């Protein structure tokens, strides 16, 4: 039993050892395959880059092989690449990749500079547009409104745009002159460089190093100036927004003031109309008072009349009817006087006047 167990253990160990060896071989094969795959990728890129030259070489080899004998065996070793050829291909691909990376970096730097210039130009354009909008609001919307009609004057708008066009023309002339100066500087610098190249007066290392130091110094100063300019632009934008808000608030106050003035005018018109009504009511009250006095005198005369003054039956009936009509009119007149007095008191109360003082 013990011998059988020992034999089983040794067989398992052998199997484990065999499996480990196979796994190591498999891992080595995977590494070789990965290396071959990378070499193939490298060779494929090399072939893609130099396809025309290789095609010419293959055509030349085909012509040579046609001149040789047909039965001559081909040496397989000539179909394989030597280590030196592999090294040359790898070195060529490495140099090509470095060159492509450098070209990509230069292109990206150029694109970045272009984008920075576009961004700076956009900031300037935004600032100019804000300034033009502010000037338009100040000179046209606020100052160009006619106080009588409440509309904007066309002459002021025409004058404003003529001045703006004149400013733009002057700015274009300025830019043209600046462009001509820059072109002259470029031509002068190109001529100097060409002369130096012809004379062989190359820059020395110390001069080049000094120019690099000066260039870094100027770049730093430019960055500081750009930061200050950006801060000033931000402050100007904030001030412009605050000024626009204050202008809007002032316009709202002006509108409210105009509204109050209109309301005051309406109130004055109402007061004048109410005063006219009060005067009319007073005149009616005075006339009704006089009529009331007359009716009272007539009534007193009727009551004080003697028997001799008593008329006949028919005359009495007519006078009695007339008396009733007069009494009815007196009641209506008194009612009208009371209504007019109440209306007069309400009107005085609405206007804040004291009817006793009037």
């Amino acid at each position: 039993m013990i011998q059988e167990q020992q034999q089983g253990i040794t067989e398992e160990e052998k199997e484990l050892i065999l499996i480990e060896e196979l796994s190591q071989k498999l891992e080595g094969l995977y590494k070789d395959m990965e290396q071959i795959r990378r070499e193939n990728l490298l060779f494929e890129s090399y072939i893609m880059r130099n396809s025309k030259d290789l095609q010419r070489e293959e055509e030349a080899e085909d012509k040579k092989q046609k001149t040789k004998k047909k039965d001559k065996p081909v040496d397989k070793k000539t179909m394989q690449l030597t280590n030196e050829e592999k090294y040359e291909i790898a070195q060529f691909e490495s140099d090509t990749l470095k060159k492509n990376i450098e070209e990509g970096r230069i292109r990206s730097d150029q694109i970045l500079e272009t984008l920075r210039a576009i961004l700076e130009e956009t900031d300037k354009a935004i600032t100019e547009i804000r300034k033009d909008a502010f000037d338009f609001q100040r000179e046209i919307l606020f100052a160009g409104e006619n106080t009588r009609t409440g509309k904007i004057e066309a002459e002021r708008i025409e004058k404003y745009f003529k001045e703006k066009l004149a400013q733009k023309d002057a700015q274009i002339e300025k830019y043209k002159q600046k462009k001509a100066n820059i072109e002259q500087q470029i031509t002068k610098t190109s001529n100097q460089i060409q002369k130096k190249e012809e004379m062989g007066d190359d820059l020395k290392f110390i001069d080049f190093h000094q120019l690099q130091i000066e260039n870094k110094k100027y770049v730093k100063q430019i960055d500081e100036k750009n930061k200050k300019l950006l801060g000033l632009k931000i402050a100007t934008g904030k001030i412009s927004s605050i000024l626009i808000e204050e202008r809007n608030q002032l316009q709202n106050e002006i509108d409210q003031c105009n509204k109050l003035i209109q309301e005051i005018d309406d109130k004055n018109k109402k007061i004048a109309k109410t005063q006219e009504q009060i005067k009319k009511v007073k005149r009616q009250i005075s006339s009704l008072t006089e009529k009331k006095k007359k009716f009272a005198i007539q009534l007193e005369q009727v009551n004080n009349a003697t028997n001799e003054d008593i008329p006949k039956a028919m005359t009495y009936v007519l006078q009695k009817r007339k008396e009733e009509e007069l009494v009815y009119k007196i009641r209506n007149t008194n009612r009208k006087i009371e209504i007019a007095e109440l209306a007069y008191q309400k009107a005085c109360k609405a206007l804040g006047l004291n009817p006793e003082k009037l």
Side-chain angles (χ1 to χ4, degrees):
M1 293 293 292
I2 296 169
Q3 291 178 356
E4 291 177 356
Q5 289 178 357
Q6 289 177 355
Q7 289 178 358
I9 292 167
T10 55
E11 288 176 358
E12 289 178 358
E13 288 178 353
K14 288 179 181 180
E15 289 177 358
L16 291 171
I17 291 167
L18 182 61
I19 290 167
E20 187 176 357
E21 290 176 355
L22 290 173
S23 63
Q24 290 177 357
K25 289 180 180 180
L26 184 62
E27 188 177 357
L29 288 172
Y30 280 141
K31 289 180 179 180
D32 294 337
M33 288 172 64
E34 182 66 23
Q35 186 175 359
I36 291 167
R37 187 182 68 80
R38 291 180 181 178
E39 288 180 356
N40 288 331
L41 291 174
L42 183 65
F43 296 151
E44 284 177 2
S45 64
Y46 178 76
I47 290 167
M48 291 295 291
R49 294 180 195 277
N50 302 286
S51 58
K52 293 182 180 180
D53 295 336
L54 292 173
Q55 189 175 2
R56 291 175 185 173
E57 290 178 359
E58 287 179 358
E59 289 177 357
E61 288 179 358
D62 290 336
K63 288 180 182 179
K64 288 180 181 180
Q65 287 178 1
K66 285 180 182 178
T67 56
K68 292 181 181 179
K69 294 181 179 179
K70 295 182 179 179
D71 297 333
K72 188 176 180 179
V74 180
D75 191 4
K76 294 183 178 179
K77 291 183 180 179
T78 58
M79 300 298 292
Q80 295 179 355
L81 296 172
T82 61
N83 292 327
E84 293 179 356
E85 290 174 345
K86 289 180 180 180
Y87 175 75
E88 288 178 358
I89 292 169
Q91 189 66 31
F92 177 77
E93 287 297 316
S94 177
D95 295 336
T96 306
L97 287 173
K98 289 180 180 179
K99 184 178 178 182
N100 291 334
I101 291 167
E102 186 65 23
E103 289 177 355
R105 187 183 64 79
I106 293 169
R107 285 197 298 271
S108 62
D109 291 337
Q110 291 176 353
I111 293 168
L112 185 61
E113 290 295 329
T114 305
L115 291 174
R116 284 177 181 172
I118 292 169
L119 184 61
E120 187 176 356
E121 186 178 359
T122 306
D123 291 336
K124 289 181 180 179
I126 290 168
T127 305
E128 290 178 358
I129 289 167
R130 285 180 178 174
K131 186 176 180 297
D132 292 337
F134 174 73
D135 292 338
F136 185 79
Q137 286 182 353
R138 183 185 62 187
E139 297 180 7
I140 303 299
L141 297 179
F142 295 145
E145 187 176 356
N146 193 345
T147 56
R148 185 173 58 83
T149 59
K151 295 180 180 179
I152 297 171
E153 297 177 354
E155 293 82 2
R156 188 180 288 271
I157 296 173
E158 186 178 0
K159 182 180 178 182
Y160 173 79
F161 281 109
K162 283 182 179 179
E163 289 177 355
K164 285 293 179 183
L165 290 174
Q167 290 177 4
K168 294 294 182 184
D169 292 336
Q171 194 172 7
I172 289 167
E173 292 295 330
K174 184 179 177 182
Y175 286 151
K176 284 182 179 179
Q177 187 176 2
K178 189 175 181 181
K179 181 183 176 183
N181 292 329
I182 291 170
E183 287 178 353
Q184 289 178 1
Q185 290 178 2
I186 290 169
T187 305
K188 185 177 179 181
T189 307
S190 300
N191 293 328
Q192 289 178 357
I193 292 169
Q194 188 175 1
K195 287 180 181 180
K196 286 183 178 180
E197 288 178 354
E198 290 175 357
M199 293 173 65
D201 188 11
D202 296 331
L203 291 173
K204 295 181 181 179
F205 179 75
I206 297 171
D207 297 332
F208 183 71
H209 186 65
Q210 187 176 1
L211 289 173
Q212 283 183 341
I213 293 169
E214 290 179 356
N215 187 18
K216 289 179 180 178
K217 182 180 178 181
Y218 291 141
V219 167
K220 187 177 180 181
Q221 290 179 358
I222 290 167
D223 291 334
E224 291 177 355
K225 296 290 183 182
N226 288 329
K227 287 179 181 178
K228 289 181 181 179
L229 182 62
L230 183 61
L232 291 173
K233 285 181 180 178
I234 293 168
T236 305
K238 289 180 180 179
I239 292 167
S240 299
S241 61
I242 292 168
L243 187 59
I244 291 168
E245 289 177 358
E246 295 294 331
R247 290 282 185 183
N248 294 329
Q249 189 176 0
L250 180 61
Q251 185 64 32
N252 293 328
E253 294 293 334
I254 291 168
D255 294 337
Q256 190 174 2
C257 183
N258 293 329
K259 187 177 179 182
L260 291 173
I261 290 168
Q262 186 66 32
E263 289 179 357
I264 289 167
D265 292 335
D266 294 337
K267 292 289 184 182
N268 290 328
K269 289 178 182 179
K270 287 180 181 179
I271 289 168
K273 187 176 179 181
T274 307
Q275 287 178 353
E276 290 292 331
Q277 290 178 357
I278 290 168
K279 290 179 182 179
K280 187 176 179 181
V281 169
K282 284 182 178 180
R283 288 195 296 269
Q284 289 177 358
I285 289 169
S286 62
S287 63
L288 291 172
T289 305
E290 290 177 358
K291 287 180 181 180
K292 183 179 178 182
K293 289 179 180 179
K294 289 180 181 180
F295 291 149
I297 292 167
Q298 290 176 2
L299 183 62
E300 188 178 356
Q301 288 176 358
V302 170
N303 292 328
N304 295 328
T306 59
N307 292 326
E308 295 177 356
D309 296 330
I310 294 172
K312 296 180 181 180
M314 193 62 188
T315 306
Y316 175 76
V317 171
L318 293 173
Q319 289 182 354
K320 190 68 175 176
R321 185 181 293 175
K322 191 174 182 180
E323 181 183 0
E324 290 177 355
E325 290 178 357
L326 290 172
V327 170
Y328 180 73
K329 287 181 179 181
I330 289 167
R331 289 177 181 174
N332 288 334
T333 304
N334 290 328
R335 183 62 182 166
K336 288 180 180 180
I337 290 168
E338 290 177 357
I339 292 169
E341 287 178 352
L342 291 172
Y344 174 69
Q345 289 177 0
K346 287 182 180 179
C348 291
K349 187 176 180 180
L351 296 174
L353 301 174
N354 191 357
E356 294 178 357
K357 292 182 179 180
L358 296 174

